[in-house]
Amino acid sequence: MFNVTKVADNRLDIEFGGKLDADEMKLALDELSSKAQGIEQGLMLYRIEDFALPTLSALAVEFARIPEMFKVIRQFNRAAVLCDKQWVQTISELEGKLIPGLSIKAFDMDQADQAEQWLNS
C-alpha cells in the first residue's frame, strides 16, 4: 500500500505499508511525482506501518527513476517519519543527512503530535 495525499499547498502525507512489486512501485512514484507538482519548501509526513522490503523488480523501477525523484525531493525541506521499527527510523534519519537541503526526523507511531510540531517549527 502506498497512498499520497496533498493536505496543503506545501505538504504531502504519505502512507506506506506492506511489500511493493514493480507495478505498485511505478504507480506509487507516479502518484508522488504528480501530487508534488508545484510544491516549494514543502513538508512531508510519512506513516510507515507493516513495512516490508520491496521486491527486486520494484527496486529496479525506483533506481531507474532516481533523477526524477531527486527533482521531487528538492521541493521539500522537511520530512517527518512515523514508524514503529527502530531500524527504519535510523535509516530515515541517515537519508536526511545524505540529501542536501532535506531534514528528516523519525518518530514512533504514537508521537504524531510531536512530528506535526517538528514539521511546522
Side-chain angles (χ1 to χ4, degrees):
M1 176 226 8
F2 191 97
N3 296 312
V4 180
T5 305
K6 189 169 187 176
V7 296
D9 288 341
N10 72 332
R11 174 154 163 198
L12 296 180
D13 283 7
I14 300 162
E15 294 180 80
F16 175 74
K19 188 172 197 153
L20 296 179
D21 64 21
D23 291 335
E24 292 166 327
M25 180 66 79
K26 182 183 180 315
L27 290 172
L29 297 178
D30 287 345
E31 184 177 11
L32 178 60
S33 182
S34 172
K35 292 198 175 160
Q37 286 185 3
I39 290 180
E40 295 178 15
Q41 298 182 9
L43 307 171
M44 287 186 279
L45 177 68
Y46 277 87
R47 280 182 169 74
I48 303 173
E49 295 187 67
D50 190 31
F51 180 79
L53 291 174
T55 65
L56 288 176
S57 59
L59 290 174
V61 168
E62 186 174 20
F63 287 132
R65 294 181 62 178
I66 284 177
E68 175 190 349
M69 289 299 103
F70 271 124
K71 288 179 186 176
V72 169
I73 291 298
R74 283 191 216 122
Q75 296 171 236
F76 294 87
N77 294 341
R78 287 182 171 224
V81 176
L82 293 168
C83 184
D84 58 359
K85 295 190 187 299
Q86 183 61 47
W87 70 270
V88 173
Q89 292 178 3
T90 301
I91 289 172
S92 297
E93 290 187 352
L94 178 61
E95 277 186 303
K97 292 178 177 83
L98 298 174
I99 300 172
L102 179 64
S103 295
I104 299 175
K105 186 166 172 79
F107 299 86
D108 290 329
M109 292 301 288
D110 63 352
Q111 294 179 307
D113 289 342
Q114 292 95 321
E116 291 283 350
Q117 288 174 0
W118 179 80
L119 273 178
N120 296 307
S121 64

